[in-house]
Amino acid sequence: MTVVEEIKDRVDIAELIGESMQLKKSGKNFTGFCPFHANTRTPAFVVFPDTGTWRCFGACNEGGDVYKYVMKKEGWDFPQALQNLAERAGVELRPRTPEQEEQEEAQVGLRGLLESAVTFYRNNLLHSDQVLGYLQGRGFSSEALESFGVGYAPDSWDALQAFLLEKGHKHEQLVEAGLIAKRENGGFYDRFRNRIMFPIRDGRGRMAGFGARISDPKDQPKFINSPQTVLFDKGRLLFGLDGARKAIRAADQAVVVEGYFDVIALHQAGHGNAVSPMGTALTSHQLRSLKRYSRNIVLALDADAAGNQATLRGLNVAREALDREPDPVFDARGLVRHEGRLDAEIRIVGLPEGKDPDEVALEDPEAWTDLLRKASPVVEYVMDLLIGPSDSQDAKQKAAIARQVLPLIEDVADPVEREAYRQGLARRLKVDERAMMGWRPKRTTRTQASAPDLQQVDSMATEGFCLGLLLRDPELTYWIDRQLHALELEGLSSQDFIGTDSQVIFKAVQSSLGQVDEEPTERWKALLDGTALDQAIAFASKAEEVDFARPKVADAVSADFFRLRMRRVEGLLEQLSFQQQAVQELETVEQEMISLAKKAQNLVTQKRRLDVALAGRK
Ligand SMILES: [Zn+2]
């Protein structure tokens, strides 16, 4: 493998592109609004993770690999793109320069220095009866404190530096390691004084810095960290990760708690898969490090944070906020976006009132396991929090909740999941129960002819199945159009398909019909390429199983196409109902209400026709 290929292989293209624009999952791919041309209507930009490519199907009509993307986005030439992506991928481009070797040596020196500090703080703790007594009083075992290297910084301005200088280290090194700071009027002072010290290591167990917690309740602030150094970047490190990696893999779950004590207590109680961020920012870097070991991530919130709507402030943050900005720890919106971009599963659980994870875990390790089982997906968690157990909201409250939750749902990457959340929200808010809920789908049973291997009606599967039929025989489009026209509905369009890839395939089918030079089945093969072509061929071969000579097959097939249209109509109606409610709440012009009502009426009519047609094809 060439280095260019190796880098391409290691960089997650959807993740990289997702950092500078919003991407939504669409089947195996991601779609979004093209960053290279002005478009706000249809997401014309597609990322194909399988092939590591992207393409704008809109005005740009171009695409390429990850290199092409960063070159276009950043204005880099190829060597610049290569250099930057190599760094990201952790691939070395050429033998290290003497300079780099020197830098690495310096880092090794700094880590050694930090290890000496760990020893110093540790010894100091063992001789500080009061602090040790406090820790033991909280239930921590000597073994747990030892394995995390917990220490104590004495209440002194120079004890640490005196110790390290005597070992031959220089002031500059101590400053560089973030252990001491320079006074304005000359001289140096120990950064950490009278504090409980938590060594922070990287995932490989190498020292990076310290987290420090007050020992005297009168001190402020409660927590401080090492400053940013060449080794310490709090947005990239997680406390406890080096010791938690194995347990995360074994449990196929990582648990993120809020404090150092929580992590230690959980490990002590046998729950070794817990880590914590330092302070208040949980970044995509940190989630990405966790995802290396498991894609299932649970955030355990202290009751204060869990029940506090302020923790959801991300909902109200401007949508345009740069994704690169560190998000508040439990910013629901940031989490949902990270989740989609990283293809991780993030759940949230709130702790019992007045209890920290360390208390729960040390009192009863089983209770902790039970608690984690109750974790809910971020969107559900937010809905629970906003809607609560009662359903006493008035119209205005409902509209306000919908306005808060809907944007969050929009950020969910998976279209099927998104749809389920929308339905769940409508149900829980009892939105428009009379006028609008009438169109809620009555699940029709699928006849055996339509898709023998599909047990249930899955809208994405129906989409693939219908496409397969059209690919096998493009002229079937005319027949379906006639069926739709008979119901006074417009003919098939790419809008009947959700996946952008499906739409691309459908458009190829349409184009294959609009020409006479080639057989339509040959034509779409020539029009499609890459992933879309593979997908199209797979769809078409599945459709080979359908035997039109068998009775009722034609009915079953048209029913599947009607379901596609039904899905589209229902989706539009649902959006419309929320919009109507929002407008109503805003008490804006009557005219807008009328126009929305007209649209709704039109959709309800279409839906009724489809209902009748589907009832006749059961
Ligand atoms: Zn474009």
Side-chain angles (χ1 to χ4, degrees), residues 34 36-37 45 56 58-61:
C34 176
F36 305 124
H37 80 268
F45 188 89
C56 168
C60 306
N61 195 27

Coordinates of all heavy atoms in Angstrom, one line a residue, residues 34 36-37 45 56 58-61, ligand 1:
C34 N -23.9 21.3 -0.4 CA -22.6 21.4 -0.9 C -21.9 22.7 -0.4 O -22.4 23.8 -0.5 CB -22.6 21.4 -2.4 SG -21.0 21.7 -3.2
F36 N -19.4 24.1 -1.7 CA -18.7 24.7 -2.8 C -19.6 25.5 -3.7 O -19.2 26.2 -4.6 CB -17.9 23.7 -3.6 CG -16.9 22.9 -2.7 CD1 -16.9 21.6 -2.7 CD2 -16.0 23.6 -2.0 CE1 -16.0 20.8 -1.9 CE2 -15.1 22.9 -1.2 CZ -15.1 21.5 -1.1
H37 N -20.9 25.3 -3.6 CA -21.8 26.2 -4.4 C -23.0 26.5 -3.5 O -23.3 25.9 -2.5 CB -22.2 25.5 -5.7 CG -23.3 24.5 -5.6 ND1 -23.1 23.1 -5.4 CD2 -24.7 24.6 -5.6 CE1 -24.2 22.5 -5.3 NE2 -25.2 23.3 -5.5
F45 N -24.8 17.2 -2.0 CA -23.4 16.8 -1.7 C -23.5 15.4 -1.0 O -24.2 15.3 0.0 CB -22.8 17.8 -0.8 CG -21.3 17.6 -0.6 CD1 -20.4 18.2 -1.5 CD2 -20.9 16.9 0.5 CE1 -19.0 18.0 -1.3 CE2 -19.5 16.7 0.7 CZ -18.6 17.3 -0.2
C56 N -20.5 16.2 -5.6 CA -21.6 17.2 -5.6 C -22.5 16.9 -6.8 O -21.9 17.0 -7.9 CB -21.1 18.6 -5.6 SG -22.5 19.8 -6.0
G58 N -25.0 18.6 -7.6 CA -25.6 19.8 -7.9 C -24.8 20.6 -8.9 O -24.1 20.0 -9.8
A59 N -24.7 21.9 -8.7 CA -24.1 22.8 -9.7 C -22.7 22.5 -10.0 O -22.2 22.6 -11.1 CB -24.2 24.3 -9.2
C60 N -21.9 22.0 -8.9 CA -20.5 21.7 -9.1 C -20.3 20.5 -10.0 O -19.4 20.5 -10.9 CB -19.8 21.4 -7.8 SG -20.0 22.7 -6.6
N61 N -21.1 19.5 -9.8 CA -21.0 18.3 -10.5 C -19.6 17.8 -10.6 O -19.1 17.4 -11.6 CB -21.6 18.5 -11.9 CG -21.8 17.1 -12.6 OD1 -22.0 16.1 -11.9 ND2 -21.7 17.1 -13.9
Ligands
ZN1 ZN -21.7 21.8 -5.3

